[in-house]
Amino acid sequence: MLHLQNYFTIAQQEELLELARNIAAINGGMTTPTMPNGARYNCSQTSCGQVGWISDRKGYRYSKLNPESNKPFAAMPAELTEIARKLAILVDEPDYQPETCLINFYAASTKSRLGLHQDNTEHNLKPCIISISLGDDCIFSIGGNNRKDPTTELILRAGDALILHGKSRLAFHAVKKILPGTSNLLKNHGRLNLTFRQVY
Ligand code: MD3
Ligand code: FE
């Protein structure tokens, strides 16, 4: 895992926020998905790129169509592709193809979180996953390749980039809590996370 603290300047964070807002607008807004067990997520999501990550009663998967609109997801902006490729080079992945970017929004609430899970929906589990944090800080927890492995906590702050590569690619991880009001990037606070994935 490579944690690059303060990788993006405030100006770049504002630009990333603008790109994310645009994507959400093209997609017709963000949605709060349902998990296969019927529970709702405690964050809202949308995607851009050739496919998007979706979750519903039928399971977790990548889809070419946004189930909210039955239309393709917004295209990946060239700026985002470039950022992801540049970051992947840092972990020796010069052929990285950021095919999708999942945008997660966590409202400034004690309820916002993401339970312990492994990212294993991708068809190719080798390429790295790149995460960019914007807005409020969060307490992030990361463990090993088994659910029961011990976890360590770290704070992800606005402007941080986190690259999960090699052994950490299949690590269990969670967003334990949002620290409301730790950033003023968003008017009503909250946290926005952009996660790039090469799916195929
Ligand atoms: C560690 N999102 O969407 S990003 C997810 O902040 C997800 O929204 C979190 O976990 C968020 O699946 C965490 C950081 C992250 C992403 C992928 C990982 C950490 C990871 C894959 C393996 C290990
Ligand atoms: Fe994840």
Side-chain angles (χ1 to χ4, degrees), residues 1 43 45 102 104 106 114 117-119 129-133 138 140 142 156 162 164 168-175 191 193-195 197:
M1 169 173 98
C43 67
Q45 307 186 320
L102 174 65
N104 288 330
Y106 301 85
L114 190 61
H117 69 279
Q118 206 175 19
D119 288 19
I129 292 184
I130 297 172
S131 149
I132 297 174
S133 293
C138 80
F140 176 75
I142 185 158
L156 293 181
L162 185 68
L164 295 308
S168 64
R169 169 65 181 78
L170 287 169
F172 275 84
H173 56 283
V175 174
R191 172 171 185 267
N193 183 82
L194 273 52
T195 312
R197 297 190 177 91

Side-chain angles (χ1 to χ4, degrees), residues 32-41 45 53-63 65-68:
T32 308
T34 302
M35 293 179 224
N37 71 7
R40 284 298 195 86
Y41 274 85
Q45 307 186 320
W53 188 83
I54 62 169
S55 171
D56 59 22
R57 281 281 196 175
K58 286 181 262 173
Y60 309 116
R61 63 204 175 275
Y62 284 93
S63 169
L65 296 180
N66 177 0
E68 298 305 312

Side-chain angles (χ1 to χ4, degrees), residues 1 18 45 68 93 103 115 128 196:
M1 169 173 98
E18 188 59 30
Q45 307 186 320
E68 298 305 312
E93 295 191 28
I103 302 170
C128 65
F196 295 91

Side-chain angles (χ1 to χ4, degrees), residues 18-191:
E18 188 59 30
L19 289 171
R21 282 196 170 127
N22 241 316
I23 290 162
I26 292 167
N27 289 342
M30 315 231 348
T31 52
T32 308
T34 302
M35 293 179 224
N37 71 7
R40 284 298 195 86
Y41 274 85
N42 292 304
C43 67
S44 56
Q45 307 186 320
T46 197
S47 289
C48 70
Q50 56 183 264
V51 289
W53 188 83
I54 62 169
S55 171
D56 59 22
R57 281 281 196 175
K58 286 181 262 173
Y60 309 116
R61 63 204 175 275
Y62 284 93
S63 169
K64 286 193 175 180
L65 296 180
N66 177 0
E68 298 305 312
S69 61
N70 266 313
K71 285 192 270 197
F73 288 94
M76 172 96 61
E79 295 94 320
L80 289 186
T81 307
E82 257 175 59
I83 287 169
R85 289 187 56 102
K86 195 171 159 188
L87 284 163
I89 290 170
L90 300 179
V91 295
D92 278 319
E93 295 191 28
D95 300 321
Y96 191 67
Q97 302 291 141
E99 289 155 345
T100 184
C101 177
L102 174 65
I103 302 170
N104 288 330
F105 174 69
Y106 301 85
S109 151
T110 52
K111 286 185 187 161
S112 296
R113 74 184 102 88
L114 190 61
L116 194 69
H117 69 279
Q118 206 175 19
D119 288 19
N120 56 11
T121 328
E122 297 69 37
H123 300 260
N124 183 353
L125 298 173
K126 289 218 163 72
C128 65
I129 292 184
I130 297 172
S131 149
I132 297 174
S133 293
L134 299 172
D136 285 343
D137 300 351
C138 80
I139 299 181
F140 176 75
S141 172
I142 185 158
N145 294 173
N146 293 101
R147 182 172 286 277
K148 289 182 178 154
D149 291 341
T151 57
T152 49
E153 287 185 357
L154 55 134
I155 294 185
L156 293 181
R157 291 203 162 87
D160 287 4
L162 185 68
I163 312 179
L164 295 308
H165 65 109
K167 248 173 35 139
S168 64
R169 169 65 181 78
L170 287 169
F172 275 84
H173 56 283
V175 174
K176 293 184 88 172
K177 64 167 98 163
I178 305 301
L179 303 174
T182 44
S183 158
N184 288 316
L185 187 70
L186 297 150
K187 191 170 54 153
N188 295 315
H189 305 292
R191 172 171 185 267

